[in-house]
Amino acid sequence: MDPEKAEFLKEFGADYGYPTGPKSIDQIRATEFKRLDGLVYLDHAGSTLYSELQMEAVFRDLTTNVYGNPHSQSDSSSATCEIVREARQQVLEYFNASPKDYKCIFTSGASAALKLVGEAFPWSQKSCFMYTMENHNSVLGIREYALSQGAAAFAVDIEETVHHGVSNGIAASVSLSQHQIQRRNEEKFLEEELIGDAYNLFAFPSECNFSGLRFSLDLVKIIKEDSEKFLEGSPFCKYITHIMSCILYESEVRSEAIDIEDDDVDAAKLLKKAYFSGGTVAASIADIDFVKRREGIEELFEDGTASFLSIASIRHGFKILNSLTLSAIGRHTAALATYLRKMLLALRHENGASVCKVYKSDSLKGLCREWGPIVSFNLKRPDGSWFGYREVEKLSSLSGIQLRTGCFCNPGACAKYLGLSHLDLRSNMEAGHVCWDDYDILNGKPTGAVRVSFGYMSSYEDAKKFIDFVKSSFVSLPNQAGLGYHLRERSIPFPDKGLESRFTSSFFLKSITIYPIKSCAGFSTEKWPLSISGLRYDHEWLLKSLTGEILTQKKLPEMCLISTSIDLHRGIMFVESPRCKEGLQINLKSDLQSGGREEVDLYGQRYEAQGYTDEVNNWFSFAIGRTCCLLRYSRSNDYLLLNKCKNGGMRRDMQSRVTFANEAQFLLISEESVSDLNNRISSNVQKGTFEMPVQINPMRFRPNLVISGGEPYVEDEWRNLKIGNKYFTSLGGCNRCQMINVVHTAGGAQKSNEPLATLASYRRSKGKILFGILLRLHETDNEVEQETDSWLQVGQEVHPNSF
């Protein structure tokens, strides 16, 4: 046995792996999760996995039984009603909740259940919605219902005060730190109008999905029994308050048994729905204001036909959980999370600096039962600066590790643990930061974190592979250049002949490629004219879906199968696709008269574009298998910078006119750099890192210009260059994405890990994986499209740093 695993089992063996269960963790993985071979899945807090045996049981159930719509009297409907009743009972038993006191209402998910509470709660101008900072956006959304009905809303931090020598229980030490009261209606009410009953709602998560902190359910009793103490000093303390509680269990139910039998969580009798639907009414009359609602709580709140086939499948999931026992699952996942926290906190760079900041608070020892199977953290460089979480996510994906990054839809916990003030948050938003974008570091601070979460089928090997990944990718070790800082690492070192002599090597232009339609295949040519926006007609067209999405190979790899070419003399673009029997010819001048004009938002900029006829749009829709339209950049209108994105998004070239290219007018790569990359990939194959050899063609990087001569990666240091009689300014390296991993074959497009995985091992810089350089025409050549000799030609000499 591996010594490191033996050490792990020595510390956690009593809890890890279901030692007394019907199957060990190794048996579970081998028989029920064969699809995880070679993959590490660590996002169980986002969505855990179903087992293959579970799906086989569901398939047998649905193929041997007939379940009909439950809103009927037929035998198939009766069978459905019975299976739904059994499912409700299983859910209640899971929570140790008596059906006399609790009801189980099926919704589409946790967010739908919270929405139901918010819209049906009896809000008034005397009500308040109180919620802990550690809450999901789906809980914060209830605030909209409260504020719209004149109620107040405010967040609270739960704090504990330690009194030495005093032992009066948890309640005596708990206090609430109230944040600013929010009211949407500023009307002044008379004092007598504020007297009377008020129904208030207090919401908190059983487990924080950001940090894994698990609150004690005693918090419900503490808040309700001493509401005057906790509302002291607020305008709500004068009312006769009825505090209802709402606990979000959405994440925790996956790994630990919950007991709410003794917890005073409130029933649904006060909730009043306005909307009614099929299944929720006993009778209604269409042409007058009459409806008689059903009296059963479940029937009243489950709008329409429930997803009864999904509900019928619940029992097969419970069967697996019950066979392992929930307490064993909790111990198993806790062992993995504790081990991961311990290993991450122990990591050190070569200079002794800590690698990892784990977000964990020990201030709530009385109200925090324990930590769940969630570990959230960020990684630091040796100098104390942060690695961006998107960099971690990108590299982990290349290593076959699936995890979650960002704020996990929990803005309060995110700001609290990351130390982000309101000023920081507003500044980040003004910089263009929104959920799910790439702005992971702003003003030197992380905007989110990395989250690893374990499930019942997670293994030591999963945790170990992740730790090894962090060590190899982010830890600076002795005798190793600082990871993340160096760009240039070559298999053949530069000859010792001085820096300047490297720039005197002979370089020439090897190929020219134009990509008329964004993300579609380009064509190579011996010579091509320049325009004010780069190579003439390059990236001048794009495809847009009917929903407004700009289509690219990142989501539609099949776009690479659409080939293009342009006949300059005839003024025609030829387009072909293996899916279309006939090609398409687009007149570069007259076809512009046939479509309408519209605006396109792309990379933080707004363009005016020209549309085409239905015939053209239908051709492209058939070619890619999705309804779309072709748009052409209008060169007569300059782009406008969007107000919401002052830094211009990902666009690097903010001075020149650029069509629909990602970052700049030109992308240049070196033939020698590609050759060195292929040597590294071949070396990895020989070491057993990859199963089969991969040979990367320069066109995989979609360059406009390929040069030959000199040594690998020498282009990194070029400030400018001259090709023929034209001058270009370097804008720096090109950040590469998963798109270069798409392999174009005759049968279609396939995704792989190369060459990005190898590039990530030696071409990382400040969160980016760089290969090739971006160029723009030098300012003196701004009017090149009006010149007769503004052409580039294969074979022309390339002179770096020539001005």
Side-chain angles (χ1 to χ4, degrees), residues 159-346:
E159 301 172 350
E160 290 185 21
T161 305
V162 179
H163 300 285
H164 297 287
V166 179
S167 179
N168 294 326
I170 297 176
S173 65
V174 175
S175 63
L176 298 184
S177 175
Q178 181 178 304
H179 289 249
Q180 179 181 351
I181 295 177
Q182 309 157 59
R183 266 197 189 278
R184 200 158 285 171
N185 189 344
E186 298 296 336
E187 293 178 8
K188 303 297 182 180
F189 302 102
L190 297 176
E191 186 69 22
E192 55 266 27
E193 292 178 334
L194 298 178
I195 297 175
D197 289 359
Y199 290 101
N200 307 301
L201 185 63
F202 172 55
F204 72 96
S206 177
E207 176 177 331
C208 174
N209 76 321
F210 186 94
S211 65
L213 175 69
R214 284 178 170 171
F215 291 97
S216 169
L217 302 188
D218 290 338
L219 188 57
V220 176
K221 291 182 179 179
I222 293 171
I223 298 294
K224 294 184 67 173
E225 292 176 358
D226 203 358
S227 60
E228 291 186 6
K229 167 191 171 184
F230 296 114
L231 294 176
E232 183 178 1
S234 78
F236 308 101
C237 64
K238 66 182 75 173
Y239 312 149
I240 301 173
T241 58
H242 302 277
I243 299 183
M244 309 289 107
S245 54
C246 176
I247 307 174
L248 178 60
Y249 290 106
E250 187 266 340
S251 174
E252 188 173 4
V253 295
R254 301 189 179 102
S255 62
E256 188 196 59
I258 307 295
D259 188 342
I260 63 174
E261 181 63 28
D262 297 326
D263 294 306
D264 193 11
V265 181
D266 302 290
K269 58 187 177 182
L270 292 174
L271 301 181
K272 304 296 181 183
K273 283 186 66 205
Y275 176 78
F276 68 87
S277 66
T280 66
V281 295
S284 65
I285 300 177
D287 59 344
I288 64 173
D289 184 11
F290 176 83
V291 59
K292 180 176 175 57
R293 299 174 188 266
R294 292 188 179 273
E295 296 182 358
I297 294 295
E298 299 96 336
E299 296 171 324
L300 181 62
F301 285 102
E302 290 177 353
D303 288 320
T305 302
S307 181
F308 56 87
L309 295 181
S310 297
I311 295 172
S313 304
I314 288 177
R315 56 179 173 167
H316 303 294
F318 273 123
K319 183 177 180 180
I320 292 176
L321 297 179
N322 292 335
S323 69
L324 295 173
T325 76
L326 297 173
S327 59
I329 293 173
R331 293 193 301 272
H332 171 79
T333 55
L336 291 171
T338 302
Y339 168 71
L340 180 61
R341 290 190 195 98
K342 176 182 176 182
M343 298 300 292
L344 289 175
L345 290 171

Side-chain angles (χ1 to χ4, degrees), residues 606-787:
R606 182 169 295 149
Y607 301 85
E608 284 193 16
Q610 183 75 38
Y612 283 84
T613 62
D614 290 343
E615 180 184 0
V616 172
N617 294 334
N618 290 338
W619 190 95
F620 280 100
S621 298
F622 189 81
I624 66 173
R626 180 183 294 191
T627 305
C628 65
C629 61
L630 179 70
L631 295 176
R632 184 179 184 181
Y633 170 77
S634 177
R635 289 184 294 168
S636 61
N637 293 277
D638 292 336
Y639 57 76
L640 300 174
L641 208 60
L642 292 179
N643 293 330
K644 67 178 182 179
C645 195
K646 295 181 179 179
N647 57 7
M650 67 182 294
R651 176 62 48 78
R652 191 84 61 87
D653 187 355
M654 299 303 298
Q655 299 181 24
S656 317
R657 178 176 295 186
V658 181
T659 52
F660 294 135
N662 283 10
E663 295 187 88
Q665 294 177 338
F666 303 88
L667 170 60
L668 177 148
I669 67 170
S670 158
E671 197 174 47
E672 281 67 29
S673 299
V674 175
S675 177
D676 178 77
L677 171 62
N678 279 317
N679 290 337
R680 292 174 184 274
I681 295 175
S682 298
S683 176
N684 288 333
V685 172
Q686 294 172 4
K687 295 176 183 177
T689 307
F690 305 116
E691 296 181 359
M692 56 184 298
V694 179
Q695 193 71 18
I696 304 300
N697 186 288
M699 292 300 107
R700 181 81 73 88
F701 299 97
R702 294 178 63 85
N704 296 114
L705 309 175
V706 177
I707 63 166
S708 183
E711 299 176 3
Y713 315 111
V714 68
E715 65 273 14
D716 291 341
E717 300 174 14
W718 293 353
R719 300 183 306 275
N720 54 67
L721 62 148
K722 178 184 178 184
I723 304 177
N725 64 346
K726 294 302 164 193
Y727 295 87
F728 303 83
T729 300
S730 172
L731 302 174
C734 178
N735 185 24
R736 311 313 310 212
C737 65
Q738 296 276 1
M739 190 166 160
I740 63 174
N741 286 346
V742 177
V743 182
H744 306 162
T745 63
Q750 297 178 341
K751 293 184 179 180
S752 66
N753 281 339
E754 289 298 339
L756 200 58
T758 295
L759 287 174
S761 67
Y762 74 107
R763 295 286 300 174
R764 280 168 54 206
S765 175
K766 298 179 180 179
K768 298 179 179 180
I769 302 173
L770 303 179
F771 191 82
I773 60 172
L774 301 168
L775 304 175
R776 64 175 169 87
L777 280 166
H778 189 54
E779 295 175 358
T780 58
D781 285 324
N782 252 355
E783 303 300 326
V784 291
E785 65 178 0
Q786 300 177 7
E787 299 178 15

Side-chain angles (χ1 to χ4, degrees), residues 115-133:
K115 180 176 182 288
L116 188 154
V117 172
E119 66 186 5
F121 193 81
W123 304 107
S124 72
Q125 295 166 341
K126 296 172 289 186
S127 300
C128 71
F129 174 45
M130 180 170 61
Y131 53 91
T132 59
M133 283 290 287

Side-chain angles (χ1 to χ4, degrees), residues 493-507 709-711 714:
F494 283 139
D496 186 17
K497 56 183 181 181
L499 185 63
E500 292 300 324
S501 61
R502 288 165 44 194
F503 297 140
T504 60
S505 300
S506 176
F507 302 93
E711 299 176 3
V714 68

Side-chain angles (χ1 to χ4, degrees), residues 67 70 77-93 99 102-106 298 302 306 308 311-312 314-315 318:
Y67 298 117
S77 298
S78 297
T80 300
C81 290
E82 180 59 22
I83 208 73
V84 171
R85 185 199 63 78
E86 292 177 1
R88 294 191 206 276
Q89 183 61 33
Q90 284 183 302
V91 172
L92 292 175
E93 289 175 355
Y102 292 90
K103 302 298 179 183
C104 172
I105 299 171
F106 288 115
E298 299 96 336
E302 290 177 353
F308 56 87
I311 295 172
I314 288 177
R315 56 179 173 167
F318 273 123

